[in-house]
């Protein structure tokens, strides 16, 4: 039985969110391939995980018998998130760009699951687990565009998910999502529509390919 860990972080619900919509298409195809599988779902926008605290951070490097009651409680919350990551056969993350970076709620989840000596370090405990990130954004930050230098979502997530956690990383990037709502971007609507169509196609294709590879 396979397990998909699905993290959403958009503040917008349902179809109002490009990252949620594309991630839902991935998940639908995944579940079609694995009808008996398990999906662990966390909506960190609707139900935020605790931001990292001194107690939660320091508990990670302390022996269980040496932890205070506060540290033990804080680490228990981190451990639940860490074990979900470790038990997943694949990970799906919706990561919209807010002010050039990921939502703070997604950063909080990452701060909790990154534990040196366990999930990060020489032998990361979830190393090799495939992760697909739906990195939506209102404009375009692709190489060669005027705002290329403001792209801090893919760069950051590659450093953390691939570099620190050792995950096998892939991106789906629906862009120009503000074009239908911003009159100044109206001429970019055809590019937005093409990007959106491609994102949904990529989501279905990647979910099917990954599901089949894991099941083999």
């Amino acid at each position: 039985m396979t397990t998909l860990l699905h993290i959403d972080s958009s503040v917008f619900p349902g179809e109002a969110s490009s990252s949620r919509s594309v991630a839902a298409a991935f998940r639908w195809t995944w579940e079609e391939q694995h009808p008996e599988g398990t999906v662990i779902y966390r909506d960190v926008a609707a139900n935020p995980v605790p931001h990292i605290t001194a107690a939660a951070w320091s508990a990670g490097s302390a022996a269980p018998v040496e932890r205070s009651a506060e540290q033990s409680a804080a680490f228990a919350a981190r451990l639940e998130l860490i074990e979900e990551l470790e038990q997943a056969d694949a990970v799906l993350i919706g990561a919209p760009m807010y002010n050039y970076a990921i939502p703070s709620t997604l950063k909080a989840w990452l701060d909790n699951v990154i534990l040196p000596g366990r999930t990060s370090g020489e032998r990361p405990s979830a190393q090799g687990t495939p992760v697909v990130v739906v990195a939506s954004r209102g404009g375009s930050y692709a190489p060669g565009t005027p705002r290329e230098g403001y792209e801090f979502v893919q760069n950051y997530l590659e450093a953390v998910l691939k570099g620190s956690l050792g995950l096998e990383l892939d991106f789906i990037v629906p862009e120009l999502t503000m074009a239908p709502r911003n009159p100044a971007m109206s001429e970019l609507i055809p590019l937005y529509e093409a990007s959106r169509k491609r994102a949904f196609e990529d989501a279905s294709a990647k979910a099917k390919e990954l599901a089949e590879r894991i099941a083999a």
Side-chain angles (χ1 to χ4, degrees):
M1 185 177 294
T2 60
T3 299
L4 174 69
L5 174 60
H6 178 186
I7 309 292
D8 268 331
S9 61
S10 172
V11 297
F12 299 104
E15 294 183 0
S17 164
S18 291
S19 65
R20 287 182 186 272
S21 298
V22 175
F26 180 103
R27 177 172 166 176
W28 185 88
T29 302
W30 173 276
E31 291 180 319
E32 187 179 47
Q33 299 294 311
H34 293 291
E36 303 301 322
T38 298
V39 176
I40 300 172
Y41 180 63
R42 283 194 177 271
D43 184 340
V44 296
N47 298 290
V49 302
H51 280 81
I52 202 77
T53 62
W57 187 272
S58 59
S61 57
V65 295
E66 298 175 347
R67 293 171 186 155
S68 66
E70 182 184 10
Q71 286 177 315
S72 295
F75 189 73
R78 288 188 70 184
L79 189 59
E80 181 180 358
L81 302 175
I82 288 169
E83 290 178 341
E84 288 177 352
L85 174 63
E86 293 173 335
Q87 293 164 7
D89 294 293
V91 182
L92 171 64
I93 299 175
M97 177 186 282
Y98 293 156
N99 300 314
Y100 310 120
I102 63 172
S104 64
T105 50
L106 180 56
K107 177 65 162 56
W109 178 80
L110 288 166
D111 286 341
N112 275 278
V113 299
I114 296 173
L115 180 60
R118 180 165 176 168
T119 60
S120 68
E122 291 186 7
R123 296 180 181 85
S125 54
Q127 186 169 17
T129 302
V131 54
V132 175
V133 176
V134 180
S136 60
R137 61 277 313 275
S140 179
Y141 299 80
T145 61
R147 296 211 168 190
E148 175 185 358
Y150 291 86
E151 205 296 302
F152 302 114
V153 171
Q154 287 179 262
N155 291 343
Y156 170 72
L157 291 178
E158 183 166 357
V160 174
L161 297 174
K162 184 177 179 180
S164 294
L165 297 176
L167 306 183
E168 179 189 303
L169 177 61
D170 200 359
F171 285 103
I172 299 173
V173 186
E175 61 179 12
L176 299 168
T177 61
M178 287 296 296
R181 299 190 292 275
N182 184 347
M185 298 175 66
S186 60
E187 64 181 20
L188 299 175
I189 289 178
L191 292 177
Y192 152 74
E193 292 174 341
S195 176
R196 180 177 174 83
K197 181 176 182 290
R198 185 168 56 251
F200 277 103
E201 291 173 347
D202 286 350
S204 296
K206 290 180 189 296
K208 185 175 182 180
E209 182 274 330
L210 191 54
E212 290 175 347
R213 174 154 60 94
I214 289 173

